[in-house]
Every structure is written in structure tokens, then in C-alpha cells.
Amino acid sequence: MKVLKFGGSSLSTPATVRQVGKILLAARRREPLIVVVSAFEGVTNRLLDCARLAERADPAFEEAFKHIARRHRDAVTQLIKQGRARVRDEVDALLAELHSTLEGIHLLRHCPVRALDMTASFGERLSALIVAAHLARTHPAAFVDARDFLVTDDQFTHANVIFKKTNRRTRAYFSQMFRRSGRTIPIVTGFIGATEDGQTTTIGRNGSDYSAAIVAAAVGASEVQIWTDVDGLLTCDPRFVPSARVIDHLSHEEAAELASFGAKLHPRTLEPAIEAGIPVRVLNTHNPASPGTLITREGTARATGPRSVARKRNVTVVHMTSNKMLGAHGFLARLFEVFEQLEMSVDLITTSEVSVSVTIDEKEHLSHLIERLAPVADVEVSENQCIMAIVGRNLMRDSIVGSRVFEAMRGIPMSMFSLGTSGLNLSIVVDEADADRSVRAIHAVLFEAAVGAAP
Ligand code: ASP
Ligand code: MG
């Protein structure tokens, strides 16, 4: 049994839904499947916009609703020929329920979080219904509402999954379904669940990957496939480095490290599967022949070496210097207390005897930060900096990676350089203006050089 998840980019137009149908038919020939879908591309955002417009009593919410309705009705028209009237009725019933929800928000001029989750849930309910109906033309398929087994607490908009109950109910649900008909392909709504007393919840934005991992772990699937619009995780962002290539196999740790640099995938959400020892494969709906990237708990046997160079733009570096730091204790605690008070999260840190440099993402409280740090240290701020991270395992087992990277950076000023003791991430901070050529130079020495170059 494999669990296949298709995100919004795989469900952007009727043509891509057809492509998903083809992928499913081919995959079902090999083994039984459970399919998890997210809403059609962009629909969740539009639904949330609708709720906010209704709350402000902005009559534009009616227009926004009509746009969503039209898009789903058009999909039915284009994707379903036989039995279209029945599917159309089911879609219309969901749309009517959505409209009532929005009217309720409009009347109350208030949108409590539970109404927000109810509104958002229609994206996945509509897409799963339409995908199942489209597939049912050629193969037995069933719409499955995850609220029937995915049990959460009542932290609306980011509800916590209650695993014990969820696992038990998920197993029971699918074993009953497959006992009735072993050939059915269930199409499950991602992203949504329900509390014990039946309130609709969502499990956090982009939660469909999480739904897929939860279902896979519960039923003991042999693989989770995340179908998206790229060939997998790459050695670099191909917009900057055209020679970037797909990474064939990564450990969960490496993937998590990459995700913190903006890779589209968030391995934290895959944890239920990874922890259960289930491999995760990232695949491209628009290029299904590509082998994709495999993510497993342990990664490849080839345990050492760089896998990817990622970057995070628009960071701010805060340099703090104080002579009082010499031989003193409690200095770092005092500095970081300020960050804590302002709820500012720090990414990279480098230190010397009398100075500390950190990077931060947000700029909003920067002036407050400088003000509060002033009594403790001299502060210097550099904005428009870029972190480049070389991710891989045991990067310092030998000095080859370090020496190649330094060689590549020759002549380019760096403001920070840091290697975690885990050896998973070697990070360099440069001015945004130097970022493009730095990334290209590093990618070239680590991934493009002659045979044997990539350690
Ligand atoms: N449709 C939901 C969202 O946009 C969940 C998902 O896409 O995974 O956040
Ligand atoms: Mg998504």
C-alpha cells in the first residue's frame, strides 16, 4: 500500500487533474493506493479571503465566492461527462453550505477561528469530491472525508492530532473500505480533521503533507509519495544555477535542514511517516518519469558530503561587541534575554572573545532591539544580507568541503561563517549584492567540477 499526496500545484487546472488521474491509474496497476489531495491551487487562500471580507461586511465577498464556485463548476463540466448531473448536485450542495457559512460570518460581522476552519475545509472537500468523480469514470474510486477518522483537539487553524484515536480509526476505516472493495482508490481530503465532538478543524497551512504522513503511518504504508511541481529536492535553486540537479537520496535530517532554507517541503510534517520508517519520495506531476528524491530516516549509505546549497535572502545581521565580555560571565544570557523579550528568533550565531554576531529574519522590532541592547553592548546592524548554507552530512570529516568553499569565495567578503558541530550545515553570510555569484561559485566547486570532485 502506498499513500500518494497531490498538492495544489498538481491540481491547478482540469488538465493537471487529468494528469493526476493518469498517474493514479498507472500506480494502481502496481499496488493498492490511498490518495490524499489538497485544495485546488490557490483556493485555500481565496476561501480565507472570503471569510475576512464577509467579516468586514465587505460585499465583495459575494464576488469572491462566485469566483470559487465558478472554478469548481467549470472543473466538473470539463472533467466529468457521465453522471455529471449527480456530481454537479454534490458540488452545488457543498457550495451552498459554504455560502451559508459566509453569510453567517457576514451577519455576525465576526469570524471566530472555528468558522475560519469550516470555511477553509471546503477547498479540500470540493477537490477530493471532483478528483474522485473524475477517476471513477475509469476505475472504482471513492471520496473520503478525513473528518471521519482524523481526530484533533480544538486548537482551530492549527489543531493537534490525537494520534492514538486517529491511528485506530484510520486503520479501521480503510480496512473496512478495502474489505468491501479491494480495488477502490480512496481520495482523501488533506488538511482537515475533526474534534471528538465533530467540529471541523485544520491542522496548519500546507497541512496535506502532514495528513498523508499520518494516514501512511496509521495503515503501515510502504511509501509516501509527495507529488508536486518540481523534480524533487535539488542541489540548488535552478532559477539561479541552471546546472542544478536532483538529489537522489537524502536523510530526514538533511531534508529538514534544507527546509529551514525555504525548500518547498517541510519534513517536520512528514515525521509520522519517517518515524515509522516509511520512505518518502518527492515526485513531479508534470514529469512523472523523473525518479524524484527519496527521503529516509538514515539517508544514503554514502553518508558524507554536501548535498545542496541553499540560500535565505533578506536577513539582517546584528553584530554586538563589548569589552565587558572579556572574562565575564552572564553576558550572553543578558544579550539573548533581549531577543527573548522581543520574541525575535535568531538563526545563526558566531562569537569571539568580545563579540557576538547573529542573524535575524524580521526587521519590525529592529529599532527596539538596538535600543534595548545599547546598555549591554555596542551594536552594528547590516541589512540586506544573505545566508548561504551548504547542507550535507559530516561536512568537516575532512577539510575538502571547507577548502573548496573558501577557494570559491576568494575575493568575496563574508560577514559570518559558521559550522554546526553536527556538521550538517556550513553557513556563510554575504551581502545580497554578492549572493548570486557566491552561490554559483560554490555550486560549481561542489557539484559541477570534474569526476570525483563532489566528495
Ligand atoms: N490547502 C491547504 C493550504 O493551502 C493545505 C495544503 O495545501 O496542503 O494550506
Ligand atoms: Mg500546498
Side-chain angles (χ1 to χ4, degrees):
M1 170 88 63
K2 287 188 179 163
V3 174
L4 278 61
K5 179 259 171 175
F6 293 87
S9 61
S10 301
L11 303 167
S12 53
T13 61
T16 61
V17 175
R18 276 193 203 101
Q19 170 70 2
V20 169
K22 281 190 202 137
I23 291 169
L24 291 179
L25 288 182
R28 181 62 187 82
R29 264 180 235 126
R30 292 187 291 270
E31 66 251 298
L33 311 176
I34 296 176
V35 177
V36 175
V37 293
S38 66
F40 289 171
E41 186 166 56
V43 166
T44 308
N45 286 338
R46 293 207 170 245
L47 286 164
L48 297 175
D49 289 347
C50 260
R52 288 189 198 104
L53 289 169
E55 180 177 38
R56 291 203 303 267
D58 186 330
F61 92 84
E62 290 286 4
E63 256 325 294
F65 165 79
K66 275 188 201 140
H67 188 273
I68 293 169
R70 206 177 311 126
R71 184 150 166 214
H72 290 93
R73 287 191 183 121
D74 283 352
V76 172
T77 309
Q78 292 194 42
L79 291 167
I80 294 148
K81 301 273 177 302
Q82 254 174 23
R84 187 194 290 161
R86 185 187 51 82
V87 180
R88 177 106 199 202
D89 286 349
E90 286 171 357
V91 165
D92 280 346
L94 279 177
L95 290 170
E97 204 185 321
L98 166 62
H99 194 258
S100 307
T101 308
L102 293 169
E103 272 181 331
I105 296 169
H106 183 234
L107 274 174
L108 291 170
R109 306 269 195 281
H110 177 54
C111 183
V113 278
R114 72 171 63 188
L116 209 54
D117 273 359
M118 178 53 95
T119 305
S121 76
F122 287 97
E124 273 67 14
R125 289 157 69 192
L126 285 160
S127 73
L129 182 68
I130 294 169
V131 172
H134 170 67
L135 197 63
R137 300 166 11 244
T138 44
H139 195 285
F143 163 77
V144 173
D145 191 325
R147 294 175 299 174
D148 289 341
F149 49 80
L150 206 152
V151 188
T152 72
D153 67 7
D154 63 356
Q155 299 261 339
F156 294 97
T157 73
H158 51 271
N160 300 296
V161 176
I162 301 172
F163 277 97
K164 238 175 143 177
K165 286 185 181 140
T166 298
N167 289 341
R168 186 160 27 83
R169 287 189 199 173
T170 306
R171 270 194 295 274
Y173 187 97
F174 287 104
S175 68
Q176 199 187 26
M177 170 174 250
F178 288 126
R179 224 177 297 128
R180 253 184 281 128
S181 158
R183 268 169 46 78
T184 304
I185 304 180
I187 311 289
V188 184
T189 56
F191 182 51
I192 67 174
T195 60
E196 196 65 79
D197 61 350
Q199 303 275 351
T200 298
T201 54
T202 64
I203 55 176
R205 290 307 306 272
N206 301 310
S208 301
D209 290 351
Y210 193 32
S211 304
I214 292 163
V215 170
V219 302
S222 61
E223 183 170 294
V224 179
Q225 298 184 346
I226 305 291
W227 289 83
T228 172
D229 60 351
V230 289
D231 280 343
L233 299 177
L234 300 177
T235 54
C236 197
D237 187 331
R239 282 172 303 174
F240 306 113
V241 180
S243 58
R245 49 174 207 264
V246 176
I247 309 166
D248 56 354
H249 193 168
L250 276 174
S251 69
H252 184 226
E253 273 181 328
E254 290 167 319
E257 199 67 45
L258 270 181
S260 65
F261 285 88
K264 277 194 175 174
L265 188 76
H266 285 268
R268 209 168 42 83
T269 65
L270 301 174
E271 238 156 55
I274 302 272
E275 244 158 47
I278 303 169
V280 176
R281 204 180 282 280
V282 181
L283 291 156
N284 188 352
T285 299
H286 314 300
N287 181 20
S290 157
T293 299
L294 183 66
I295 302 169
T296 56
R297 198 164 38 197
E298 313 302 341
T300 67
R302 183 165 42 89
T304 314
R307 295 277 183 268
S308 184
V309 41
R311 69 159 140 193
K312 190 176 199 172
R313 318 182 78 146
N314 223 347
V315 300
T316 301
V317 175
V318 183
H319 296 288
M320 296 158 282
T321 316
S322 171
N323 287 327
K324 293 185 217 121
M325 195 167 160
L326 254 179
H329 58 82
F331 175 70
L332 289 177
R334 276 200 296 283
L335 285 184
F336 286 111
E337 204 183 302
V338 177
F339 287 87
E340 201 212 328
Q341 283 161 0
L342 295 172
E343 291 179 15
M344 285 175 126
S345 152
V346 164
D347 273 334
L348 278 187
I349 306 176
T350 57
T351 61
S352 78
E353 187 56 34
V354 292
S355 73
V356 185
S357 304
V358 303
T359 63
I360 52 177
D361 272 350
E362 66 147 340
K363 296 200 190 107
E364 217 188 302
H365 302 297
L366 203 53
S367 54
H368 274 121
L369 179 77
I370 296 170
E371 210 173 277
R372 295 216 200 162
L373 284 171
V376 201
D378 296 329
V379 183
E380 205 184 298
V381 171
S382 322
E383 293 185 57
N384 301 322
Q385 302 290 297
C386 173
I387 304 179
M388 296 180 301
I390 295 130
V391 173
R393 273 195 283 176
N394 297 319
L395 290 178
M396 289 314 259
R397 178 157 291 175
D398 58 41
S399 52
I400 293 176
V401 175
S403 63
R404 288 219 171 105
V405 169
F406 273 122
E407 189 55 38
M409 292 297 294
R410 195 203 289 237
I412 305 175
M414 303 183 249
S415 56
M416 286 170 77
F417 183 91
S418 140
L419 175 80
T421 46
S422 68
L424 259 179
N425 173 343
L426 190 158
S427 289
I428 302 168
V429 180
V430 296
D431 201 276
E432 187 61 54
D434 292 320
D436 280 0
R437 61 179 174 134
S438 308
V439 164
R440 281 191 205 111
I442 292 172
H443 191 270
V445 295
L446 293 181
F447 301 105
E448 297 165 41
V451 184

